[in-house]
Amino acid sequence: MLHLYRIAVNSFREALREPVYFLMLFGALLLIGHYPWMTLFVFREQLKLVVDSAMATTMLFSLAVCVLCATSTVSREMRNGTVLLLLSKPITRWSFILGKICGIVAASLLFCWTCSCASVISVYVAVDQFRMETGLYFAFVGLVFLACIAGMVLNYLKGCSFSEYSAYAGAILMFGMTVFCWKFQPHPELSLMDLGKALILLSPAVLIMAVMAVGFASRFDVVPSMCLCTLFFFLGLISSYLFGGKVEDPALAALSSLLYAAIPNWQFFWMADALAVNRNIPGYYVWWAIGYAVIYSVVIAVWAVVFFQNREAAGTREN
């Protein structure tokens, strides 16, 4: 277990040190922060557009970070022979792959958490269709750049990773500003409880994609892993349409049910439509979705461990 913990921590920090992680986080935060500006003068639809856009940005960028970090870290270690060095020590294959999964999942959930906090702040900035809280907006943008400055200072003074510590600072500052808005700002015309549940439901989707990305990356190179993750993402978006309908043929019905269970349905975690019509999101549904994601992730993790047992670790090493 100690080896698993150390591999998980190293994988987490390595994912945060990837330049693509910082670029995606910086871009997502700026996009979310500017949505109130982009949705002015839309005749009573500003809040809906801000919520939809912020949640879509959070989900898509988080899923992309899962795939990019998993493929870049795991596949790179498979190519350059780092896996051989680790497995030559008293480290089992299952602890290696599970440690990688835990590290990538933690980094992806931190990304999703930071963007979710930014989404709540963006909702507070969007007052109505004709004006916005400019003070909150400039404070939000200032905190994003302050996180970058904190990373630069720590990198210059102590040699710390700029990307890693900028991500830490961004998460802390976004959470602090979210608490400030909740305590001292007028609440928007939206149920914050339901908004919180909708944002929480994005995390199980990120969990599934992170575990899936690590599983594919442990078996395939970068490009095939990214293609498979992209394929599963698009199939999951239309899973209900392709496999969720009634089929009269028993054989096709069984195949359709199997595919419907095997492909993750991302619509289970997308509650922006419920927020648009002010529909309450039941608490039991949140727990049901989390349970579904955990069971699905455990199955994928077991598959990744089993198939990694007979993987030739030196098979993709470059000469």
Side-chain angles (χ1 to χ4, degrees):
M1 293 299 294
L2 180 61
H3 294 313
L4 189 151
Y5 171 76
R6 289 177 176 173
I7 293 174
V9 171
N10 290 334
S11 300
F12 171 75
R13 300 189 64 183
E14 186 178 1
L16 263 62
R17 290 172 180 174
E18 291 288 335
V20 68
Y21 188 97
F22 167 75
L23 292 175
M24 295 288 283
L25 181 61
F26 186 75
L29 291 179
L30 288 184
L31 272 177
I32 293 172
H34 282 83
Y35 283 139
W37 276 110
M38 302 177 187
T39 55
L40 287 174
F41 309 110
V42 292
F43 303 102
R44 300 186 182 278
E45 295 293 333
Q46 184 197 31
L47 196 58
K48 176 181 179 298
L49 290 175
V50 168
V51 171
D52 287 357
S53 302
M55 288 183 60
T57 301
T58 300
M59 185 172 185
L60 291 176
F61 275 65
S62 298
L63 295 179
V65 163
C66 296
V67 177
L68 293 173
C69 288
T71 53
S72 61
T73 57
V74 179
S75 298
R76 182 175 64 241
E77 290 189 1
M78 298 295 293
R79 289 197 308 270
N80 60 22
T82 307
V83 176
L84 288 174
L85 178 62
L86 288 173
L87 296 181
S88 65
K89 301 178 182 295
I91 297 177
T92 59
R93 286 175 175 255
W94 68 266
S95 61
F96 169 79
I97 196 66
L98 289 181
K100 287 294 181 183
I101 289 175
C102 292
I104 298 299
V105 166
S108 304
L109 290 179
L110 178 65
F111 187 99
C112 185
W113 162 262
T114 307
C115 292
S116 296
C117 291
S119 300
V120 176
I121 299 170
S122 185
V123 169
Y124 276 96
V125 173
V127 177
D128 58 46
Q129 67 268 26
F130 299 116
R131 65 188 181 91
M132 52 181 282
E133 286 286 351
T134 53
L136 280 181
Y137 165 75
F138 287 113
F140 176 88
V141 176
L143 289 181
V144 174
F145 284 97
L146 180 61
C148 299
I149 293 173
M152 286 190 294
V153 171
L154 290 173
N155 177 264
Y156 178 76
L157 295 178
K158 297 186 176 181
C160 302
S161 170
F162 166 74
S163 176
E164 179 185 0
Y165 283 86
S166 294
Y168 294 149
I172 295 172
L173 292 174
M174 290 297 107
F175 176 70
M177 189 171 181
T178 301
V179 174
F180 171 82
C181 292
W182 180 66
K183 288 286 188 180
F184 302 106
Q185 292 295 318
H187 292 315
E189 297 178 0
L190 178 71
S191 173
L192 292 178
M193 182 65 70
D194 289 332
L195 176 61
K197 292 177 182 177
L199 291 172
I200 289 173
L201 282 170
L202 298 179
S203 298
V206 175
L207 170 64
I208 293 175
M209 181 57 77
V211 178
M212 184 181 297
V214 176
F216 286 139
S218 64
R219 293 294 301 176
F220 306 103
D221 208 344
V222 176
V223 175
S225 299
M226 295 182 66
C227 291
L228 287 171
C229 290
T230 304
L231 176 63
F232 269 83
F233 173 70
F234 284 109
L235 286 178
L237 290 177
I238 56 176
S239 176
S240 298
Y241 174 76
L242 291 178
F243 313 115
K246 294 183 179 179
V247 181
E248 296 181 358
D249 188 2
L252 291 178
L255 178 61
S256 179
S257 300
L258 178 62
L259 292 174
Y260 188 70
I263 298 174
N265 192 333
W266 308 113
Q267 298 297 333
F268 291 160
F269 313 106
W270 181 253
M271 291 291 108
D273 297 334
L275 292 176
V277 296
N278 295 321
R279 182 179 299 175
N280 180 53
I281 301 175
Y284 71 86
Y285 182 84
V286 177
W287 289 110
W288 179 90
I290 293 175
Y292 166 81
V294 170
I295 294 173
Y296 197 98
S297 300
V298 168
V299 173
I300 299 176
V302 171
W303 167 82
V305 170
V306 170
F307 279 86
F308 189 68
Q309 294 297 324
N310 59 1
R311 169 71 191 269
E312 180 60 47
T316 57
R317 185 176 179 179
E318 294 178 353
N319 295 325

